[in-house]
Amino acid sequence: AGATMSEEIELCAPALRVCNFVLESEVGAVYLQVIHMAQSVFAWAGLQPTLDNLAVAMPSRFEKTPLSSTLLGSITETTAQSMARRICESVQLKQIAKF
């Protein structure tokens, strides 16, 4: 007889960790979220819980500085790209950052 569906599925542990924080500061609440995946990190920070600007950065074989690009939001807002590059340099993984 053939294999059943339950015999073909192999369960595995989750490959990501999600950490959420809310910090109180003199400007009000600062919302933070970090999602650590197998070979990448998603870092989000904002004064409101909305996704306005989103950038990605990754190491380059040709440049010392990681490559980065804006995925969502204004290309004139460079904070998200800068944050993604700094995280990428420190952990050497693909980074997605929102600010």
Side-chain angles (χ1 to χ4, degrees):
T4 65
M5 180 66 94
S6 63
E7 293 172 333
E8 295 175 14
I9 297 174
E10 183 178 326
L11 299 176
C12 61
L16 61 94
R17 288 180 301 180
V18 179
C19 299
N20 293 303
F21 308 93
V22 179
L23 303 175
E24 292 298 327
S25 72
E26 51 206 36
V27 296
V30 177
Y31 300 90
L32 305 162
Q33 181 178 64
V34 177
I35 302 174
H36 185 261
M37 295 162 271
Q39 294 185 0
S40 60
V41 174
F42 174 89
W44 177 88
L47 297 177
Q48 298 194 5
T50 59
L51 189 61
D52 296 326
N53 295 306
L54 184 66
V56 64
M58 61 186 68
S60 169
R61 293 185 292 174
F62 310 107
E63 306 266 342
K64 182 180 178 188
T65 304
L67 302 172
S68 64
S69 181
T70 297
L71 301 177
L72 294 174
S74 172
I75 60 172
T76 60
E77 172 55 60
T78 59
T79 306
Q81 278 193 39
S82 177
M83 187 168 80
R85 281 193 304 268
R86 286 193 307 254
I87 295 169
C88 184
E89 288 173 341
S90 67
V91 296
Q92 292 298 306
L93 295 173
K94 292 178 200 158
Q95 305 303 314
I96 300 174
K98 182 272 177 200
F99 184 80

